[in-house]
Amino acid sequence: MATGKYSRVDGRKSSRYCSIATIVVFVVFCLVGIWMFMSSSIVPVTNSEILALETRNEVKQIVPKGDSKQFDDTSGDLSRDETIDDGGGLPSKVPGITDEDNFTENVVAGSDNEEKESHNSAEKNQEHNLANENSDEKAESESAQKSMDEDDGNGNGKDGETNSRDGESNAGTREAENEGGEMKEVLHKDSRESSGENGSESAESGKNYEVDETADKMKLVGKEAILSESKNEKNEDKHLDQSDVGNNVESKENNQASNEILPAGIQSENLTESTTQNGAWSTQAVESQNEKKSQQSFISNENNDLHWKLCKTTAGADYIPCLDNWKVIRKLPSTKHYEHRERHCPDEAPTCLVPLPEGYKRSIKWPKSRDKIWYYNVPHTKLAEVKGHQNWVKVTGEYLTFPGGGTQFVNGALHYIDFIQDAVPEIAWGKRTRVILDVGCGVASFGGYLFERDVLAMSFAPKDEHEAQVQFALERGIPAILNVMGTKRLTFPSSAFDLVHCARCRVPWHNEGGKLLLELNRVLRPGGYFVWSATPVYRKGPEDVGIWQEMSRLTKSISKNAPPLCEESDDPNAVWNVPLQACMHKVPVDSTERGSLWPAQWPVRLEQSPYWLNSQVGVYGKAAQEDFTADYNHWKAVVSQSYLKGMGIDWSSVRNVMDMKAIYGGFAAALKDLKVWVMNVVSIDSPDTLPIIYERGLLGIYHDWCESFNTYPRTYDVLHADHLFSSIKKRCNLVTVIAEVDRILRPEGKLIVRDNSETISQVESMVKSLQWEIRMIYSKDNEGLLCVRKTFWRPTEEEPIKNAIV
């Protein structure tokens, strides 16, 4: 239009004016053409560029940048036809195809003078239309080419900063200055499908994940910073897993629509509650008087230089450092009391990684997993061979199946469970009885079926000749722990369980003054039941008859206070490496003492402050009951507004969860409506709040994170660490703790870390060296949140662990 205007010749004008005008226009066009050619790299500054420049000039990151990719969580069961053998035995996947993200850039007002001048100059040029279409196209083409030359291939320029262009999907990290002060926040999203992080990728151990910046935005609304996913609707992520013969796709999964909403008030409240006190509670370490020598602190700030190796041990893919320490086990003077099944941790915790079993696949989802698991995930057949006739476990093709019947549960586990309640109606499964202890659990079918009655069962058994029974339980999605009733107390507080169960267990309860039975008495809540059942075949053998008679005598004597009472100085809650004793602790009679009253029925007890929390000072410095309520409300808000919506976690694929530093169990309580169970771990150097957790009807255990946990590798879907690492690194090598996290987390499992920025940076660096995927980073006021996903990556070089080789 403008060109036509200036080139139009009016017939009413003289020819002299026409010729002069023609010459002027020609000269102007030449000058403009030369100017445009010389300045072809100058393009109008868009709003996106203003935002990027302002961000780079005005805002600094607290947490170092990590790999950032848009993420879609995947879940679901894998059929045989959905896997291929790539030589490493790991499942290969073809990445799902998702719709391209669409988003609208937020306009941030204000720019520096240079940006305004550049923008005004561009507008002026457009108004006067001094450039023709060909010149504009040429300028844009050359500018685009120059931008590509300067880009590093990942959307980053030579200076490593992300380019934000109009129409591009690389929104990347958004940082902004809020009213009243600078808000430092970083959000990294990841879209890489790790289902295919298998053997073929393992060969590329040094490969760095490409940065795939997403269209995530940070909106400033008043004084709240809202981090929102660019995706506003669910996209189906089709897993194109193929078999060797190219079978059709059998699974289709929905990506979680992630809208991470982190109101500044809620987030800052959580992040300011990082420094806990002991309050009215001492620590387990002090109670037990078994403080260990702190390992020499070694905190590396250059964790990218870590060189991981595979643990070479006799146990292979089932390596458990504190239970496979053969150097110590071989030197034990006696194994009479099952000392060889107890914990014997190495002097230096290993920093190697446990290998994957050949053919390992993503675990089958609950509730299908209760009935079957992948054989190659737990490739042990001894128990199936020995107990096959009893219907414990069977090998069925590429599955291990669990009929849930057998000689003990002839008519099925549910019939057996109902039979117990019919015999003792007061048990009232799921109401009066909520948390139970299943001793010698086998494959934990009893606990697996109790979920239908709203009951949580802590199943435990030793790592012994009954091969991998606890591993079977955990792979099925049933709470279980490796433990043995040997020479030390169980790592549970006193008066914790509503009921203790033992089916077909041939434990010599009566030996040595009844030490083992008295230990069960310690952990059983006053008024609770001990259910000991046996099949008729166990009534015939002389040994079994003798055990039954001695048990009957012992239980009658307990009711008559025949066993000696423990000393007044004996603390029934002190359990970390405390020897067993053949004595009884007094039953509390004061109504203000824990154990004197039965807790409220489930689910009321979950939200109700325990009656015995009176005037004590809580962990966060408030009165205990107020502390308890505030903690629960806080975690409900964080879980509902952050964890369930914005982490990119498909919670329908999550079953086994661990809170590595539980306080009141608020995190676990906030997950109560999901089909998950949570192992609440109370560190021995933290306030001893585990009795509160059991009072609420939740499960938990004591542990020292400078040592390995009593579980098999690859047993948890989500690990949650709230200000754990910053405290634990004062006592032990943080690298060993991360190696332990890698050991117990399943491939594709998630680690959520809340901690100070320094620790977040250290953890981020270490998990990157493990080839894990950074899902999210949020930082504010020197506090941060990190969410990462473990991949299938394993190193190729091995490290022999001499104390674990037979």
Side-chain angles (χ1 to χ4, degrees):
M1 296 295 292
T3 303
K5 176 181 178 181
Y6 284 111
S7 63
R8 192 170 84 182
V9 179
D10 195 333
R12 292 174 296 181
K13 300 294 182 180
S14 66
S15 59
R16 187 167 66 109
Y17 285 118
C18 291
S19 59
I20 292 173
T22 302
I23 294 171
V24 171
V25 170
F26 178 78
V27 172
V28 169
F29 269 62
C30 290
L31 292 174
V32 170
I34 294 171
W35 180 80
M36 290 299 295
F37 181 80
M38 297 297 293
S39 60
S40 61
S41 62
I42 300 176
V43 294
V45 181
T46 64
N47 290 332
S48 299
E49 291 171 314
I50 294 174
L51 175 60
L53 287 171
E54 285 184 332
T55 302
R56 290 195 287 268
N57 292 333
E58 297 177 8
V59 183
K60 296 180 180 179
Q61 291 182 191
I62 291 179
V63 181
K65 289 185 178 179
D67 291 343
S68 174
K69 303 178 285 293
Q70 178 188 355
F71 56 84
D72 293 317
D73 195 51
T74 58
S75 60
D77 302 339
L78 295 175
S79 67
R80 181 175 185 177
D81 293 337
E82 292 177 15
T83 62
I84 59 176
D85 190 351
D86 59 3
L90 300 179
S92 297
K93 300 185 73 64
V94 178
I97 302 174
T98 59
D99 295 336
E100 185 174 293
D101 295 338
N102 296 317
F103 68 96
T104 303
E105 287 283 2
N106 294 316
V107 178
V108 180
S111 64
D112 57 29
N113 293 330
E114 292 180 6
E115 293 169 340
K116 288 182 178 178
E117 290 174 4
S118 176
H119 189 66
N120 292 334
S121 175
E123 290 180 346
K124 185 176 181 181
N125 292 335
Q126 291 177 353
E127 289 175 1
H128 290 284
N129 296 296
L130 297 177
N132 57 29
E133 281 185 7
N134 292 334
S135 298
D136 288 337
E137 290 174 0
K138 183 176 181 181
E140 290 174 3
S141 176
E142 292 178 357
S143 176
Q145 181 63 41
K146 184 173 182 180
S147 298
M148 291 177 63
D149 293 340
E150 292 177 350
D151 200 279
D152 64 1
N154 294 329
N156 298 331
K158 291 180 179 179
D159 59 354
E161 307 231 346
T162 304
N163 295 322
S164 297
R165 299 289 186 191
D166 227 359
E168 294 177 352
S169 63
N170 293 340
T173 302
R174 294 285 184 261
E175 302 178 81
E177 189 171 349
N178 198 1
E179 293 181 25
E182 187 180 59
M183 177 172 292
K184 301 174 181 179
E185 299 174 340
V186 181
L187 175 63
H188 288 181
K189 300 285 184 171
D190 187 321
S191 65
R192 185 179 185 85
E193 292 295 336
S194 72
S195 304
E197 313 278 346
N198 50 30
S200 60
E201 286 193 10
S202 297
E204 301 177 347
S205 59
K207 179 178 179 180
N208 293 323
Y209 293 108
E210 293 183 355
V211 177
D212 182 12
E213 301 286 348
T214 67
D216 300 325
K217 311 184 291 265
M218 183 168 74
K219 299 179 181 178
L220 299 182
V221 183
K223 295 184 179 180
E224 293 183 346
I226 301 178
L227 300 178
S228 64
E229 283 275 356
S230 59
K231 283 189 176 180
N232 294 320
E233 60 183 8
K234 294 184 177 180
N235 295 323
E236 290 188 352
D237 180 23
K238 300 178 180 180
H239 295 278
L240 307 179
D241 294 0
Q242 300 175 347
S243 67
D244 292 334
V245 294
N247 289 325
N248 293 329
V249 177
E250 292 188 5
S251 68
K252 185 181 294 183
E253 300 162 352
N254 292 328
N255 297 326
Q256 185 179 5
S258 302
N259 293 315
E260 171 70 355
I261 302 177
L262 299 171
I266 291 177
Q267 192 66 15
S268 61
E269 176 193 357
N270 179 62
L271 298 177
T272 55
E273 292 182 342
S274 60
T275 304
T276 61
Q277 309 169 37
N278 285 350
W281 298 277
S282 62
T283 65
Q284 183 59 218
V286 172
E287 292 169 348
S288 303
Q289 296 181 356
N290 280 303
E291 298 180 4
K292 297 181 178 293
K293 294 180 179 179
S294 297
Q295 299 182 32
Q296 183 178 2
S297 179
F298 172 75
I299 305 171
S300 172
N301 291 322
E302 301 294 335
N303 292 311
N304 279 328
D305 295 335
L306 288 172
H307 182 62
W308 299 100
K309 299 180 181 179
L310 284 179
C311 303
K312 183 178 181 180
T313 65
T314 300
D318 296 336
Y319 177 46
I320 306 171
C322 290
L323 297 182
D324 292 320
N325 188 355
W326 290 100
K327 180 179 178 180
V328 173
I329 294 174
R330 282 194 295 260
K331 296 179 180 179
L332 291 173
S334 172
T335 58
K336 178 182 178 181
H337 297 98
Y338 294 90
E339 293 91 340
H340 57 303
R341 306 298 186 194
E342 295 180 325
R343 291 172 61 83
H344 302 285
C345 297
D347 295 333
E348 295 184 5
T351 58
C352 54
L353 307 180
V354 177
L356 290 174
E358 184 177 353
Y360 182 89
K361 301 179 183 180
R362 184 195 314 163
S363 299
I364 294 174
K365 290 168 55 176
W366 180 269
K368 292 181 180 179
S369 62
R370 185 179 65 181
D371 301 323
K372 65 180 182 180
I373 62 176
W374 294 115
Y375 167 76
Y376 285 108
N377 285 17
V378 192
H380 300 296
T381 59
K382 184 175 181 180
L383 196 60
E385 294 166 359
V386 174
K387 299 291 185 179
H389 65 288
Q390 297 181 11
N391 261 0
W392 281 26
V393 56
K394 292 181 177 295
V395 179
T396 309
E398 58 182 351
Y399 298 103
L400 289 166
T401 57
F402 304 87
T407 54
Q408 184 62 32
F409 311 143
V410 178
N411 298 309
L414 284 175
H415 179 272
Y416 172 77
I417 290 168
D418 292 336
F419 170 78
I420 293 174
Q421 181 168 299
D422 291 340
V424 188
E426 190 180 7
I427 286 177
W429 297 122
K431 296 179 180 179
R432 183 181 188 270
T433 300
R434 164 64 180 175
V435 284
I436 75 167
L437 182 67
D438 189 15
V439 182
C441 61
V443 294
S445 290
F446 181 64
Y449 283 91
L450 276 170
F451 280 107
E452 296 188 18
R453 301 291 186 265
D454 269 345
V455 176
L456 283 178
M458 175 72 83
S459 302
F460 82 91
K463 186 179 183 181
D464 59 9
E465 61 275 2
H466 284 170
E467 196 175 38
Q469 51 190 332
V470 167
Q471 192 175 17
F472 286 138
L474 288 162
E475 183 68 17
R476 296 173 71 186
I478 303 170
I481 196 77
L482 282 162
N483 219 326
V484 64
M485 298 194 70
T487 66
K488 300 175 183 178
R489 288 179 177 176
L490 298 173
T491 48
F492 309 115
S494 67
S495 304
F497 296 98
D498 304 334
L499 180 144
V500 176
H501 172 261
C502 189
R504 302 186 72 249
C505 55
R506 308 178 71 177
V507 178
W509 301 110
H510 59 286
N511 283 357
E512 300 183 2
K515 278 186 179 181
L516 301 184
L517 185 62
L518 291 170
E519 173 60 5
L520 293 186
N521 183 69
R522 182 187 67 83
V523 300
L524 182 62
R525 188 183 301 278
Y529 287 91
F530 174 45
V531 178
W532 185 39
S533 64
T535 55
V537 69
Y538 276 31
R539 301 175 188 171
K540 300 178 180 179
E543 181 182 359
D544 298 313
V545 172
I547 292 175
W548 178 261
Q549 292 175 346
E550 287 297 320
M551 274 288 292
S552 299
R553 183 192 62 77
L554 185 59
T555 51
K556 290 178 181 178
S557 66
I558 288 177
S559 63
K560 297 178 180 179
N561 297 324
L565 291 176
C566 299
E567 298 291 334
E568 291 289 339
S569 60
D570 191 310
D571 184 354
N573 295 303
V575 301
W576 193 251
N577 292 331
V578 173
L580 289 175
Q581 296 185 59
C583 65
M584 289 183 62
H585 295 92
K586 290 182 178 180
V587 174
V589 293
D590 190 331
S591 60
T592 62
E593 291 185 70
R594 182 173 69 88
S596 61
L597 300 176
W598 197 267
Q601 290 194 347
W602 177 264
V604 175
R605 65 191 285 183
L606 179 72
E607 303 183 0
Q608 182 174 293
S609 174
Y611 65 89
W612 40 270
L613 289 182
N614 298 313
S615 59
Q616 301 103 311
V617 177
V619 170
Y620 301 114
K622 306 173 184 177
Q625 290 189 349
E626 182 184 351
D627 225 32
F628 173 92
T629 303
D631 177 80
Y632 183 38
N633 290 335
H634 161 67
W635 282 112
K636 283 194 295 183
V638 170
V639 167
S640 65
Q641 298 186 42
S642 176
Y643 289 8
L644 299 184
K645 296 179 180 179
M647 292 292 187
I649 298 176
D650 179 5
W651 287 90
S652 68
S653 66
V654 173
R655 177 61 181 172
N656 303 349
V657 180
M658 177 186 286
D659 192 354
M660 298 178 70
K661 188 184 178 184
I663 303 296
Y664 297 116
F667 168 66
L671 296 175
K672 64 182 176 64
D673 294 328
L674 301 183
K675 299 297 183 181
V676 303
W677 64 271
V678 180
M679 178 69 78
N680 293 281
V681 180
V682 173
S683 301
I684 64 167
D685 60 343
S686 297
D688 188 4
T689 54
L690 193 53
I692 298 175
I693 291 171
Y694 274 97
E695 192 79 9
R696 302 183 74 171
L698 302 171
L699 295 176
I701 198 168
Y702 296 112
H703 183 58
D704 181 359
W705 282 113
C706 288
E707 302 174 356
S708 72
F709 194 75
N710 271 23
T711 191
Y712 282 92
R714 306 168 303 279
T715 50
Y716 285 89
D717 300 305
V718 171
L719 299 181
H720 181 256
D722 182 22
H723 290 86
L724 168 69
F725 297 129
S726 57
S727 62
I728 203 68
K729 70 182 184 181
K730 299 174 183 177
R731 299 194 298 115
C732 51
N733 185 351
L734 189 56
V735 176
T736 65
V737 182
I738 297 300
E740 176 65 4
V741 166
D742 176 270
R743 190 184 71 86
I744 66 180
L745 189 62
R746 287 172 172 169
E748 296 189 340
K750 316 301 186 302
L751 168 66
I752 303 173
V753 183
R754 313 181 80 90
D755 224 307
N756 60 52
S757 295
E758 178 188 1
T759 303
I760 290 288
S761 179
Q762 289 178 297
V763 174
E764 180 193 11
S765 181
M766 282 188 277
V767 297
K768 280 184 181 178
S769 69
L770 288 166
Q771 307 298 325
W772 290 15
E773 298 174 356
I774 307 297
R775 311 302 297 278
M776 173 182 290
I777 295 179
Y778 174 94
S779 182
K780 178 186 176 184
D781 297 335
N782 199 36
E783 293 291 335
L785 169 65
L786 173 68
C787 179
V788 293
R789 176 164 69 173
K790 177 182 175 180
T791 66
F792 281 82
W793 178 83
R794 294 286 89 176
T796 56
E797 187 177 352
E798 292 185 331
E799 177 185 351
I801 307 299
K802 295 181 180 179
N803 59 29
I805 297 177
V806 179

